[in-house]
Amino acid sequence: MARNSCQFTCHVVVILFLLVFGEVDGVTITVPNPTVSAEAGTDAVLMVSFTSGTNPYVSWELDLSIASWTINSDQPADIAQAYKGRLTINTKAPSLTLNKVTTADARDYKVTMRATGESSDEKFIKLNVYERITSVNVTVSPADPVEGKDVTMTCQITGTGTKYSWKVNETPVIVDSRHVASGNTLTIKSLVRTDKGQYSCTAENPINSLKNSVDLIVYYGPDDPVIKVDNANAGTQHNALVGSTVQLDCVSESLPVSYNWKYNSVSTAGGSKTLSNIQRNQEGDYICEVSNAKTTLTKSKTITIKVYDMIQGLSVSTIPVNPKEGDAQVEITYATDKGSGTAMWLKDGTALPNDPRYTVTANSLKINSPGRSDSGVYTCNLNNPFSTSTIQKTISIFYGPEKPQISATSVENPDPLKYVLVGTTVLLKCKAECDPPATYYWNVGNQDDPNVPEGATLNLTNIQANQAGSYTCIAVNDKINKRVRNVVPLNVYQKPVSAGPTCSMTPVNSDLQFRCSWLGGIPKVSLKFLGLSEVKEASETLDQTETAAKLPALNGKAITCVGTHPIAPNNCSITPRSPEGILPSHNATAQPSGKVSVTISCKGSSQPPATVTWSKAGQLLTSGGIYTISNDTTDLTITGFNISGGDLATYTCVSTNLLGSQKSSINLTGPAISKSSILVNPAHTVVTLTWETPRDSVVTGFNVQMTGPALQRSSISRAATDWSTIQTKGPEARNTDISPLQPGEIYQFRVKPMVGQNEGPPSETYSLGQDPGLSAGAIAGIVIGSVFGFLLLLLLLILLILCCLRRKKQRKEPKYPVPKTKERVATGVSQPNILLTGGVTAARNGPSIGNGNRAYTPEPYTQYDKSSTLPSNVTPPAVRMATTV
């Protein structure tokens, strides 16, 4: 209780002290060298310093406290029993000195300092104690290093070593996958002979270093030996001339090395062997053996010594002397008076063929089952390294005849062995492989010819059909009494009369008969139809009938007749087809008397040709009276056609054949102009009128009419405003030129369609010239337009007054915010309609030609459209063209 009270009092005092004097810093230890190295047997000083506001308490420890004291205290240091007499302590400082240290003193030492009222601090100092290196010795294991094996060098020292470094020949060893340094050892893996040299090891510690070296010898080999002959590298064989001297030397890379020569089981030590005055009996294999006692390896190499004489007296003979095809064998042998060598055989100056029948022996060439291809000049080249000799032998082998080959040539016939044409010339040639050359005989195709021609060629001129047949060539070899024959057929043909077959079809009651015809030719043409219900064949003419029930399937289907002939095969085709594309057309003609005839044509495509029936307004028509039907029934002619007598009606034609029918009608109408236009040249002297008529309109001609000054002087007087016919055109005309016109004069033009003497409605009227003034219709239009304009202005005035009254009423009513979505602002500018006084404008920006009150001078050949409107801002010229309808 008292202790707690004291601690409380102390705490209060400390707090008051801190409040009065401020906070006091703690003890701080400084270690200048955290690691201290010392040699064994010397003193080691563990140096520290401190900063503190008072004298702190110092404690040094290992596992337990070894010494402690208070700085500047009169009390001695408290030293552990185990360290008494071994420590030197100055109590005025915190450092510690260990006397005569040993390697056992190498530890981590802890120093702690603390003072009253201050925070404590602690630090560690590591002490390393080393024994001085006094000797270094390098050992090698194994003692005899061999190439390809590993070697380890060990650096053995007296003292304490902390670092080992290696050099070879004073150059640092580069550590890699082969050079492995570990501790005090260096291992070299898979030794090579270049690893030899002086290796040194340097052992170091912080106290001192010491170096020593060893010579590394690498034993290797033997490598593959090399044999030299007369101081030059030799291969596996050496050739020597009888009586010469041969010097053999064997060389191999090896450490150490031992040489030995063997010949016929006799050994001779040493790397060299001399053969003086060499003879043929000294030929053979000479073996050099190389051995290594350290690596226990042995290698050898053999050289073959061949000894030759100079070649003399080469000769060649054959068995049998006169060989023939079918013999078992032909043998060619050679012999010499002196010397030998290697024989090389040639046939006709080139190497022997790669044929298993040829066998080369030591002194001969054998040809098994000789044939004609083996005939030729055979050469024997006998060679040795010191001489060459050559001899030739010609061999002929009788053979044949083989089967004769017959060829044919003809100027007129490209392939005479295929066929020849009647009346041409053919040359047959016979050839058979034979030695000696064969004799040839012929058997001809005409069995009535008793002759047996002889010779290799047979000439047949102006050949006829009865000469067709088999031609036999017989080849005879009189030397071996052998005969062989061959036969070729000779075909004699004639072309058909026409280039190809003709196809047709004819109705037979309700059936349809197909015919194909192609006459003439040797042999006769073979015909057949493809596409019909069945396939039939015939010669020259083929008829085949298809019944009515089968015809629908043939509609639009191509039926082909295939004509087969060896010279010129050909085809023809025909397609049965129901009537189609029927579109009636008409043509009207007028006689000078004015009588009109109209012909209506009903044509299309059909096969076989269709028959046409005619009707008028549903009533069947036949030839008679005013109606005439053409022989093929496709035309209906109406004579004395009367446009006002009921002849303008609907006419119907029905086109029918065995495969179907098609119906079409035409409604004949009176003469009419459906469209017209006008073109004017730049000088206003030529006008071109163009017009069109409806398709069904009956027209026999056109009258081109005009008013105005006459085109040329005339004795007949007329008023300039009268219409007169100036041109008469035929029914096919669709345009005309009118000239010469007088510029500035007033003209009008139109076209009237005609049927005989009857006129149809005229075309539009086109005017050219000065403004003739306002017509009555134009004046009436201006009056009516003025009245409607006045009424429109009055209506606008009333609407304006009503609008003003409405706005005034709205200003008197309470105003409320108007929703944004309901706001509407409408502005506009009212523009009056522009009444154009101009008439028709020209298409494509050209001048106008029309029936208005104003017109312009026409531009060059401009086509005009009376529906266009003239721009109001263009000042019209004085001259105009107008169209009056």
Side-chain angles (χ1 to χ4, degrees):
M1 186 70 176
R3 182 179 179 183
N4 291 338
S5 177
C6 181
Q7 288 180 345
F8 175 76
T9 303
C10 290
H11 290 162
V12 171
V13 172
V14 170
I15 291 172
L16 291 175
F17 180 83
L18 292 175
L19 289 175
V20 175
F21 298 102
E23 185 178 358
V24 177
D25 293 335
V27 178
T28 300
I29 301 174
T30 300
V31 178
N33 190 0
T35 301
V36 176
S37 297
E39 182 180 355
T42 64
D43 296 340
V45 179
L46 306 182
M47 182 69 70
V48 296
S49 61
F50 71 94
T51 57
S52 176
T54 182
N55 294 320
Y57 174 78
V58 181
S59 174
W60 287 87
E61 300 175 6
L62 286 174
D63 296 333
L64 298 173
S65 176
I66 60 174
S68 60
W69 66 92
T70 300
I71 299 298
N72 293 323
S73 172
D74 295 335
Q75 297 295 325
D78 184 9
I79 299 174
Q81 185 65 34
Y83 283 87
K84 287 183 178 181
R86 291 202 58 219
L87 301 180
T88 300
I89 297 174
N90 181 4
T91 58
K92 297 183 180 295
S95 298
L96 176 67
T97 300
L98 282 80
N99 301 322
K100 297 182 179 181
V101 294
T102 66
T103 56
D105 295 323
R107 302 282 296 276
D108 289 335
Y109 292 83
K110 175 182 176 183
V111 58
T112 303
M113 299 181 71
R114 56 181 176 272
T116 302
E118 296 181 5
S119 60
S120 63
D121 192 9
E122 65 181 28
K123 289 291 187 294
F124 289 88
I125 296 178
K126 182 178 183 63
L127 175 62
N128 294 321
V129 179
Y130 301 94
E131 293 181 354
R132 179 174 292 274
I133 300 172
T134 58
S135 67
V136 175
N137 183 38
V138 181
T139 61
V140 178
S141 177
D144 294 331
V146 175
E147 188 175 46
K149 304 294 183 179
D150 296 348
V151 66
T152 299
M153 289 173 280
T154 303
C155 191
Q156 299 174 342
I157 67 171
T158 300
T160 303
T162 59
K163 180 180 178 183
Y164 299 88
S165 58
W166 296 86
K167 290 184 179 181
V168 55
N169 300 327
E170 298 303 323
T171 300
V173 174
I174 299 175
V175 177
D176 52 23
S177 59
R178 287 187 59 241
H179 300 78
V180 180
S182 176
N184 65 334
T185 64
L186 172 64
T187 299
I188 303 177
K189 298 181 178 181
S190 300
L191 275 173
V192 295
R193 61 195 66 179
T194 55
D195 287 330
K196 68 179 180 178
Q198 185 182 69
Y199 285 80
S200 62
C201 171
T202 300
E204 302 177 49
N205 64 28
I207 306 303
N208 72 325
S209 65
L210 196 61
K211 170 184 174 183
N212 202 351
S213 60
V214 66
D215 289 328
L216 178 65
I217 299 174
V218 180
Y219 298 100
Y220 58 88
D223 293 347
D224 291 334
V226 175
I227 296 177
K228 295 184 177 183
V229 177
D230 300 333
N231 295 321
N233 289 344
T236 58
Q237 179 177 316
H238 178 73
N239 300 316
L241 185 63
V242 171
S244 64
T245 298
V246 177
Q247 177 66 42
L248 300 177
D249 293 297
C250 187
V251 179
S252 175
E253 292 291 331
S254 179
L255 181 67
V257 64
S258 175
Y259 295 99
N260 188 49
W261 281 97
K262 285 185 178 181
Y263 172 71
N264 289 340
S265 301
V266 177
S267 297
T268 303
S272 298
K273 186 176 183 65
T274 302
L275 303 175
S276 301
N277 190 23
I278 193 169
Q279 298 299 314
R280 292 289 305 275
N281 59 4
Q282 290 180 280
E283 283 187 340
D285 292 337
Y286 289 78
I287 303 172
C288 171
E289 290 184 347
V290 184
S291 58
N292 186 322
K294 294 291 186 179
T295 64
T296 69
L297 297 177
T298 299
K299 288 191 176 181
S300 64
K301 187 171 183 180
T302 301
I303 185 169
T304 300
I305 304 298
K306 301 287 289 184
V307 181
Y308 295 91
D309 280 311
M310 299 294 289
I311 299 173
Q312 299 176 9
L314 177 63
S315 62
V316 173
S317 61
T318 61
I319 302 174
V321 176
N322 295 313
K324 66 178 182 299
E325 196 170 52
D327 288 343
Q329 186 183 82
V330 174
E331 183 176 11
I332 308 172
T333 62
Y334 76 86
T336 63
D337 295 339
K338 188 177 182 181
S340 64
T342 301
M344 183 178 68
W345 295 90
L346 303 178
K347 180 179 179 291
D348 297 326
T350 60
L352 292 176
N354 185 17
D355 191 332
R357 297 183 304 111
Y358 289 77
T359 303
V360 177
T361 64
N363 64 340
S364 69
L365 168 64
K366 295 179 180 180
I367 305 174
N368 297 319
S369 302
R372 69 199 65 183
S373 61
D374 297 319
S375 296
V377 178
Y378 285 80
T379 303
C380 175
N381 290 325
L382 189 61
N383 301 282
N384 66 32
F386 304 98
S387 61
T388 299
S389 184
T390 300
I391 194 170
Q392 292 182 337
K393 178 69 175 180
T394 299
I395 295 179
S396 295
I397 298 176
F398 297 117
Y399 61 89
E402 291 293 328
K403 184 177 181 179
Q405 299 299 314
I406 302 175
S407 63
T409 58
S410 175
V411 175
E412 302 95 336
N413 303 286
D415 189 358
L417 287 180
K418 186 176 182 182
Y419 68 85
V420 297
L421 296 177
V422 171
T424 60
T425 298
V426 180
L427 181 65
L428 297 179
K429 292 183 179 181
C430 187
K431 183 179 180 180
E433 294 292 332
C434 186
D435 187 14
T439 303
Y440 300 96
Y441 302 93
W442 293 91
N443 286 335
V444 297
N446 186 356
Q447 301 299 320
D448 296 332
D449 188 348
N451 297 319
V452 180
E454 181 180 350
T457 61
L458 178 63
N459 193 18
L460 304 174
T461 60
N462 191 24
I463 194 167
Q464 298 301 310
N466 64 352
Q467 291 179 272
S470 297
Y471 283 73
T472 303
C473 171
I474 302 172
V476 179
N477 187 333
D478 296 326
K479 192 77 172 179
I480 59 176
N481 196 24
K482 182 178 179 181
R483 296 168 177 258
V484 181
R485 72 174 59 201
N486 195 8
V487 180
V488 294
L490 187 64
N491 298 311
V492 181
Y493 294 157
Q494 191 169 16
K495 292 182 179 180
V497 175
S498 60
T502 301
C503 290
S504 63
M505 55 186 170
T506 305
V508 179
N509 298 324
S510 60
D511 300 334
L512 189 59
Q513 184 185 65
F514 292 84
R515 167 166 286 192
C516 183
S517 178
W518 198 9
L519 304 178
I522 300 174
K524 293 182 179 181
V525 177
S526 175
L527 303 172
K528 66 178 178 180
F529 277 114
L530 299 180
L532 298 181
S533 58
E534 57 181 318
V535 178
K536 297 180 179 180
E537 294 190 25
S539 297
E540 295 194 331
T541 300
L542 172 62
D543 289 327
Q544 193 167 340
T545 301
E546 295 291 300
T547 62
K550 299 176 182 178
L551 295 182
L554 300 180
N555 189 18
K557 180 180 179 181
I559 307 301
T560 300
C561 174
V562 179
T564 303
H565 189 270
I567 298 178
N570 209 337
N571 303 332
C572 66
S573 296
I574 190 168
T575 303
R577 194 182 303 277
S578 62
E580 59 183 15
I582 305 299
L583 182 64
S585 62
H586 72 280
N587 180 43
T589 59
Q591 299 178 1
S593 62
K595 188 176 182 179
V596 176
S597 295
V598 175
T599 299
I600 305 173
S601 297
C602 188
K603 299 183 185 298
S605 62
S606 63
Q607 193 66 257
T611 301
V612 181
T613 59
W614 294 89
S615 62
K616 173 185 176 184
Q619 296 295 322
L620 183 66
L621 299 179
T622 60
S623 289
I626 66 172
Y627 300 108
T628 301
I629 298 176
S630 63
N631 291 334
D632 64 357
T633 70
T634 59
D635 294 330
L636 170 66
T637 301
I638 306 171
T639 306
F641 191 89
N642 188 349
I643 63 175
S644 59
D647 291 335
L648 294 177
T650 299
Y651 294 83
T652 300
C653 63
V654 179
S655 182
T656 306
N657 68 6
L658 293 177
L659 289 94
S661 64
Q662 188 177 26
K663 177 180 178 181
S664 188
S665 299
I666 186 171
N667 182 27
L668 296 183
T669 61
I673 301 294
S674 61
K675 185 178 180 181
S676 62
S677 62
I678 189 171
L679 294 174
V680 184
N681 75 333
H684 291 201
T685 58
V686 180
V687 169
T688 299
L689 285 175
T690 303
W691 64 90
E692 297 178 7
T693 63
R695 188 182 77 86
D696 298 337
S697 177
V698 179
V699 177
T700 62
F702 301 93
N703 288 340
V704 181
Q705 298 180 336
M706 66 168 280
T707 66
L711 299 178
Q712 55 187 357
R713 294 183 180 275
S714 174
S715 60
I716 301 175
S717 61
R718 64 174 181 83
T721 58
D722 293 340
W723 288 101
S724 62
T725 299
I726 59 175
Q727 294 180 7
T728 299
K729 297 291 183 180
E732 304 300 328
R734 290 297 180 267
N735 61 75
T736 186
D737 291 338
I738 303 172
S739 66
L741 303 179
Q742 300 178 26
E745 295 295 337
I746 299 174
Y747 297 92
Q748 288 183 311
F749 306 95
R750 70 183 182 184
V751 179
K752 272 192 173 183
M754 304 294 293
V755 177
Q757 303 297 332
N758 298 315
E759 296 182 340
S763 69
E764 297 179 10
T765 299
Y766 297 93
S767 298
L768 174 66
Q770 299 291 337
D771 188 351
L774 296 176
S775 65
I779 295 173
I782 293 174
V783 173
I784 294 173
S786 299
V787 171
F788 276 104
F790 175 76
L791 292 177
L792 179 61
L793 290 175
L794 181 60
L795 178 61
L796 292 174
L797 181 60
I798 294 172
L799 292 175
L800 181 62
I801 293 172
L802 292 176
C803 182
C804 292
L805 293 175
R806 179 178 177 85
R807 291 176 63 86
K808 183 175 180 182
K809 180 179 178 180
Q810 289 176 349
R811 283 195 294 268
K812 294 180 180 180
E813 295 176 355
K815 296 184 178 180
Y816 298 97
V818 180
K820 295 279 184 190
T821 58
K822 295 297 185 177
E823 292 182 359
R824 293 291 186 269
V825 178
T827 61
V829 179
S830 177
Q831 296 182 354
N833 293 329
I834 299 174
L835 299 178
L836 301 179
T837 59
V840 180
T841 62
R844 302 176 186 170
N845 299 325
S848 65
I849 296 179
N851 59 356
N853 294 324
R854 296 185 183 274
Y856 304 97
T857 302
E859 295 296 333
Y861 286 97
T862 307
Q863 186 171 0
Y864 302 99
D865 182 356
K866 80 171 193 172
S867 64
S868 304
T869 304
L870 182 69
S872 61
N873 59 348
V874 177
T875 303
V879 181
R880 70 179 293 277
M881 290 191 70
T883 301
T884 303
V885 180

